[in-house]
Amino acid sequence: MTDFATLIEADKGQKARTIQILDVFNFEDWLKDQPDQVRAIVQAYNFTANPESYLVLPLSGSQSDKSEEEEGDFTVVAGVRNHKALEPWDLVKLGGKLPAGKYRLSGASAKNGLFGWLIPQHTFEKYKEIDNKQGPSVLLVKDEIAQVDEAVRQAEATAMVRDMVNTPAADMGPDKLEDIVEKLADKHDADLKVTRGDTLEKNFPMIHGVGKAAMRDHAPRLIELIWGKADHPKIAIVGKGVTFDSGGLSMKSPAGMLLMKKDMGGAAHAIALARMIMDAKLPVQLHLLVPAVENSVDGHALRPGDILQSRKGLTVEIGNTDAEGRLVLGDAMTLAGEEEPELMIDFATLTGAARVALGPDLPAMFCNDDEMAAALLEAGETEDDPLWRMPLWSRYEYRLNSPIADTNNVSTGSFAGCITAALFLQKFVPDDLPWAHFDTYAWRPASKAGRPKGGEALGLRASWRYLRKRYGS
């Protein structure tokens, strides 16, 4: 993984190129003070300091006129929304596009923009050598040095999610998810417990039922990590770890299966969030739960019409084997609730209905606690990692009715699919437990600056900011 910590240095007067930060409100005043050559270039390129725009300019004056701190033969002007308060993505085009070297900002504090400088310098290179790869661009900072650890933490977690989701299922099966969590447990002196294979059948029958078709080569498992002091507030983080989803006997089309390596995106988010919690030594007792399965097809595969027991005791009629993520989450969330945490958050690439409603960039958030929901939405706004609250509309619960079991795993009809999926999960959450559910895409279908096509962390930084503010780190 990219060594993000090397991309920001304390400013001790090193030679560096200058990046002048502007917005549309101070642009004209800045332009008036520039020599004719600069004004001509700015006009030729129609640069007006719009957000996420930048322009490389020749350094005015002779080499002898340069400050002792200036380097090279050019300077940069960059537009942002508000030069007085940078936002997380404001520097994303600069960190990813400028030539290798050292830079310092002028006219703005880098405080809130460090993440945007770091993350575009990470690329996924496991299977493809990147030709003409740009060298590192290093940002020099002064008082903002105190924010570097947090920016690096966010960049590392985001890169982790991207890399895990981008990795094909052949190299990111249930065993690999276990390996990743085991390495985190070893690093942070956490306890690891894994229940795998047929031993799941008694206590986690829905995880076993979904994963049993891949038992021989990709045995299902429930991965648990416990970290932190026993007298700290207990929190549960759960992530859907379906490492490949064929749809089971309710098989997807070839096009529908094409991106199904990303169906473990919820687990990637949960693991990355756990990493941030432990790295920051947040004063909580963490319970991470990842039900890891492959939804495959063989003679043991779950059938439409089958009835599964659940850990909670509810019986579930299988209306569609392609609605498997909610099943494995149900058993994991039941166990999490039994430990009586102070709150629970789950991440899942759960429904196409959420994408129809909100598109690929905006996770659907369901929450049974208004105060928690409001704080999460605020955190998403602050981090520019937006969320959209969807309703746990109880009047749709009838759509999950089954004539022969306590519930069906899918609703009747095609309406409100992400809501009924969330209502199914809610059946496995204790009534008095504050809980948030993120139905996230974990994928970016088109590239943007610093955000390449492929795996993406959506809702991760928002949930981390919420936890950090709540528990005071």
Side-chain angles (χ1 to χ4, degrees), residues 10-24:
D11 190 344
K12 300 178 181 178
Q14 305 96 309
K15 286 191 174 183
R17 298 182 177 108
T18 298
I19 301 173
Q20 177 67 50
I21 301 296
L22 303 169
D23 58 33
V24 294

Side-chain angles (χ1 to χ4, degrees), residues 22-67:
L22 303 169
D23 58 33
V24 294
F25 303 105
N26 69 353
F27 169 69
E28 291 295 339
D29 289 339
W30 169 83
L31 190 61
K32 289 176 184 177
D33 293 334
Q34 302 309 305
D36 291 343
Q37 179 190 24
V38 169
R39 287 200 297 269
I41 295 172
V42 168
Q43 184 177 9
Y45 283 91
N46 197 28
F47 177 80
T48 56
N50 286 322
E52 290 195 19
S53 65
Y54 73 95
L55 185 63
V56 176
L57 297 170
L59 197 62
S60 61
S62 67
Q63 290 294 104
S64 60
D65 292 333
K66 290 196 305 180
S67 161

